[in-house]
Amino acid sequence: MAEQKTPLRKRIRDWAGGIIIGALAAGFIVAAGASDMGTSDMGEYDRILPFDAQSMWLMKQARAIIETYQVDSAEKPTEESKILYGAIRGMVEAWDDPYTRFVDPMQLKEEEIEMEGEYGGLGIYIGQRDGRTLVISPIEDTPADKVGLKPQDQIVKIEDEIILGWDSQKVVKKLRGKPGTSVTIWIRREGEEELLKFEITRENIKLKSVRSEMLDEDLGYIRISQFKHKTGQEVRESVLSLLKDGARGFILDLRNNGGGLLNSSVEICDMFLNGGLVVGLKGRVERANDEIFANPGTLTSLPMVVLINEGSASASEIVAGALADRGRAVSIGKKTFGKGSVQTLFNLTDGSGLYVTIARYHTPSGKIIDHVGLEPDIEVEGEVTRETEKDEQLKSARQELKNILSGKGTPVRKMPEAS
């Protein structure tokens, strides 16, 4: 267990740094190869091409035919970059992984803005399963949340276009637009015979990932709606503030949290776990096989309950799985979405990027969550609502935390303490 002594931030930095260095090294090799093409033989030429010579000739034929015969090709020539990016997207899609995807330079800049916490759109996390586009969760207090979209809703149409088979980026691009404009979507919802129509007005989405308050005078409540760059800092500030206000226990609400940054989820686990495993990663390459441990010491050791539901995914499942497996918290609610894979961004030389699924993660007890989901310790039906007295899952969490404080709580499966 000597690895546990490695500082958390250093382990994450070193691991991510290795991925970035690998990407840069690959770019250098390609650039070097390209500069030598004029003097290299066909064998060298084949070595640096993405396909064999016959396949490249096939692509050349296809392009020549379109440029020669397509009725608008002369008056409206297509930009070289658009052709190139289209070819790359087609290649990436052939792997049939909805989370491995190519983004052009403009898309990458937009996503970086989103991760910083502000963008224009509906405020919705989506995922893909069996060719369907599903709502993972609406983000609290955004247009998608206000009109009543729910986890597991299937988006069937956007405006007049049926989107079956669309990749996630195409769906996102269609849903986004200038604040104040509207978009109409049709939803298939379990239990409903007809498609549900929603006309939603886009807003400038300013994401505040954490909110907190005191419940029942001595119960600290922290809701995390997504895991962004500053989420760990916001959670730390909330915990300290609630402790100052007299909190004797905490409810961590991860319902309808579609995930976000791995680093952020690990930072939060580190606040509540005294060393030991947080999450394990299993991939093809050595650098993708890793185990991330919490640092010794905790921000608080007070009792905890974690709320999860079918809209809890990815980073949310990491946090809930780690706290539950380690016996640090009781999980309450419904089974989670089951998005248990890790994507890393590889920056390409022209400013575009590839998000690649490099690993699937497992909880400290070894549970693989991808396409399966995480079962709660206590299953409770209900939906998220700001009216706390109508929130059955939250009411159950409050009661369970009170029981724990009084010594009557539900026993949880507990892994051995970290050594």
Side-chain angles (χ1 to χ4, degrees):
M1 298 295 287
E3 283 189 83
Q4 294 183 21
K5 298 179 181 179
T6 305
L8 173 70
R9 293 181 186 275
K10 184 177 185 299
R11 285 184 60 76
I12 296 174
R13 184 179 65 249
D14 289 351
W15 183 82
I19 294 294
I20 294 170
I21 290 169
L24 291 175
F28 177 78
I29 291 169
V30 171
S35 66
D36 293 334
M37 281 178 61
T39 59
S40 60
D41 58 17
M42 193 62 183
E44 181 70 10
Y45 185 68
D46 286 340
R47 187 181 70 81
I48 66 171
L49 288 176
F51 306 103
D52 62 36
Q54 185 174 359
S55 298
M56 293 297 293
W57 176 238
L58 185 65
M59 293 180 68
K60 178 69 174 178
Q61 291 178 68
R63 178 174 180 176
I65 290 169
I66 293 172
E67 290 181 337
T68 301
Y69 295 104
Q70 203 281 329
V71 66
D72 297 317
S73 62
E75 291 77 15
K76 300 177 182 178
T78 300
E79 296 178 8
E80 186 76 11
S81 62
K82 191 172 182 179
I83 297 172
L84 173 63
Y85 294 155
I88 295 174
R89 286 192 180 93
M91 179 183 68
V92 171
E93 289 172 6
W95 268 268
D96 198 26
D97 174 9
Y99 301 110
T100 291
R101 56 192 178 88
F102 171 79
V103 288
D104 63 39
M106 184 61 69
Q107 287 175 312
L108 187 55
K109 288 180 181 179
E110 290 175 356
E111 294 193 13
E112 288 172 348
I113 292 172
E114 177 182 343
M115 291 307 270
E116 290 297 330
E118 184 171 337
Y119 65 94
L122 305 182
I124 183 175
Y125 285 106
I126 63 171
Q128 293 191 315
R129 187 165 290 169
D130 301 324
R132 299 174 298 150
T133 299
L134 301 177
V135 174
I136 295 178
S137 61
I139 300 172
E140 191 173 54
D141 287 333
T142 63
D145 181 42
K146 293 172 185 176
V147 300
L149 292 184
K150 297 181 179 181
Q152 302 296 322
D153 281 347
Q154 180 190 352
I155 303 176
V156 178
K157 288 176 59 179
I158 302 176
E159 300 297 353
D160 295 324
E161 295 186 78
I162 296 174
I163 67 164
L164 188 64
W166 284 20
D167 64 72
S168 59
Q169 278 306 109
K170 186 175 181 180
V171 175
V172 169
K173 187 174 182 180
K174 189 73 173 178
L175 292 175
R176 287 186 179 174
K178 293 183 179 180
T181 61
S182 64
V183 60
T184 301
I185 65 175
W186 278 261
I187 293 292
R188 177 174 288 118
R189 179 176 293 170
E190 186 176 354
E192 299 286 346
E193 294 184 2
E194 302 291 334
L195 293 182
L196 304 179
K197 179 181 178 181
F198 294 88
E199 185 170 341
I200 312 174
T201 301
R202 301 179 178 96
E203 293 181 5
N204 188 30
I205 308 297
K206 296 182 179 181
L207 302 177
K208 181 172 175 58
S209 61
V210 179
R211 69 175 176 87
S212 61
E213 61 181 299
M214 289 291 291
L215 301 175
D216 302 324
E217 296 184 353
D218 60 355
L219 306 182
Y221 173 82
I222 300 174
R223 174 159 177 76
I224 306 176
S225 56
Q226 58 264 310
F227 292 89
K228 302 296 183 185
H229 290 295
K230 298 180 180 179
T231 302
Q233 175 186 336
E234 292 174 4
V235 170
R236 178 176 292 273
E237 292 171 354
S238 295
V239 170
L240 294 175
S241 176
L242 292 169
L243 286 171
K244 187 176 180 180
D245 291 340
R248 296 175 57 228
F250 290 92
I251 297 171
L252 188 64
D253 192 346
L254 301 177
R255 294 174 298 170
N256 288 1
N257 182 326
L261 298 175
L262 170 65
N263 291 14
S264 179
S265 67
V266 174
E267 282 180 26
I268 290 164
C269 290
D270 188 45
M271 297 177 197
F272 305 111
L273 295 175
N274 183 18
L277 184 63
V278 172
V279 63
L281 308 176
K282 294 182 179 179
R284 285 185 59 201
V285 299
E286 183 179 351
R287 300 288 287 184
N289 289 288
D290 200 5
E291 291 184 327
I292 302 175
F293 295 85
N295 290 311
T298 61
L299 184 62
T300 177
S301 57
L302 292 177
M304 293 183 66
V305 170
V306 176
L307 279 167
I308 54 176
N309 70 353
E310 59 272 30
S312 305
S314 191
S316 295
E317 293 168 303
I318 289 176
V319 174
L323 297 180
D325 273 7
R326 297 284 304 283
R328 184 62 182 86
V330 177
S331 58
I332 293 177
K334 297 288 289 182
K335 186 170 77 171
T336 60
F337 183 82
K339 196 271 182 183
S341 58
V342 179
Q343 284 72 43
T344 290
L345 171 63
F346 291 81
N347 291 293
L348 304 182
T349 53
D350 68 338
S352 59
L354 270 175
Y355 286 97
V356 181
T357 300
I358 62 165
R360 288 185 173 86
Y361 67 77
H362 60 84
T363 69
S365 66
K367 286 181 285 191
I368 299 294
I369 293 174
D370 202 33
H371 298 289
V372 177
L374 181 69
E375 296 281 356
D377 294 313
I378 302 173
E379 185 170 350
V380 178
E381 297 287 342
E383 296 182 1
V384 181
T385 172
R386 292 296 290 268
E387 300 179 71
T388 56
E389 293 307 316
K390 295 182 179 180
D391 191 329
E392 295 300 324
Q393 293 170 336
L394 178 57
K395 286 165 65 175
S396 178
R398 292 162 73 175
Q399 186 59 54
E400 182 63 25
L401 187 53
K402 289 178 182 178
N403 290 342
I404 294 172
L405 291 171
S406 65
K408 303 175 183 177
T410 302
V412 295
R413 298 178 298 278
K414 188 174 183 181
M415 296 180 64
E417 290 291 336
S419 59

